[in-house]
Amino acid sequence: MADYSSLLTHCKSLLVQPTRDKFARLTEICIYLQKEVEVYDWVGFYMANHAEKTLHLKAFAGMPTDHEVIPFGKGICGQVAISNDNFLVDDVSAQDNYIACDIHVKSEIVIPLFSKGVNIGQIDIDSNKIKAFTEKDAKFLEQLNTAIAEKLF
Ligand code: SME
């Protein structure tokens, strides 16, 4: 099992590098998590445009995706933009409202990112393993998003 405490500590250190802009820092976090956690095969941050009701991919690690812009309501990510709730998917093939980015993906977790109470985006992680994510991942990613909101937004 992942050592969530040391993952969080290292991610926080990546958030305070003085010379990097916020999306460069988020990219560093994506690269780090994808490398460190075996089942995290793709890690990305989508940010919300509330006027357009769209999500925009701003940082990621893993295979490039065609889905850099996702309308609110579409796919797992788009549903989280509206629900404001965590979404853990054990088996993506069982989901009707799902956007496939890579045929190897079997499970997914999306955790909203709140700044001053507003859902401004989300972290999205895909795994090539079925049922890869638990409530421990959700808790860790909530803590990470809280730290990101405090430092960057
Ligand atoms: N699977 C997501 C789309 C984003 S990709 O995973 C990178 C969804 O259904 O919203």
Side-chain angles (χ1 to χ4, degrees):
M1 194 177 68
D3 177 353
Y4 296 101
S5 169
S6 60
L7 290 174
L8 188 61
T9 300
H10 189 77
C11 286
K12 284 181 174 173
S13 77
L14 295 174
L15 281 174
V16 293
Q17 296 177 86
T19 56
R20 318 226 48 191
D21 84 5
K22 62 176 96 163
F23 296 115
R25 294 181 204 189
L26 291 182
T27 301
E28 294 286 330
I29 287 176
C30 294
I31 291 167
Y32 170 71
L33 290 178
Q34 193 228 14
K35 182 166 63 76
E36 286 298 314
V37 186
E38 200 185 343
V39 297
Y40 290 8
D41 290 298
W42 189 94
V43 181
F45 286 90
Y46 284 92
M47 302 307 294
N49 179 329
H50 287 279
E52 303 286 336
K53 299 199 182 318
T54 46
L55 291 164
H56 297 259
L57 185 62
K58 294 296 217 174
F60 75 97
M63 292 281 283
T65 173
D66 290 339
H67 302 283
E68 293 185 357
V69 181
I70 297 176
F72 282 15
K74 287 272 172 82
I76 308 302
C77 296
Q79 291 176 76
V80 170
I82 293 172
S83 71
N84 304 322
D85 287 329
N86 297 345
F87 202 155
L88 282 74
V89 182
D90 289 343
D91 176 1
V92 295
S93 72
Q95 291 290 318
D96 293 333
N97 189 358
Y98 168 71
I99 300 166
C101 287
D102 173 343
I103 54 161
H104 300 104
V105 172
K106 301 273 197 306
S107 59
E108 177 162 2
I109 186 169
V110 179
I111 305 292
L113 170 55
F114 296 101
S115 175
K116 302 174 187 80
V118 177
N119 179 351
I120 61 163
Q122 52 192 238
I123 186 167
D124 174 21
I125 305 182
D126 290 339
S127 182
N128 298 343
K129 185 180 168 215
I130 205 148
K131 214 174 175 188
F133 305 104
T134 70
E135 283 303 321
K136 289 197 167 63
D137 295 282
K139 181 63 67 190
F140 159 59
L141 297 168
E142 283 176 9
Q143 290 172 330
L144 174 60
N145 279 355
T146 299
I148 289 169
E150 276 171 15
K151 294 278 188 253
L152 301 187
F153 294 100

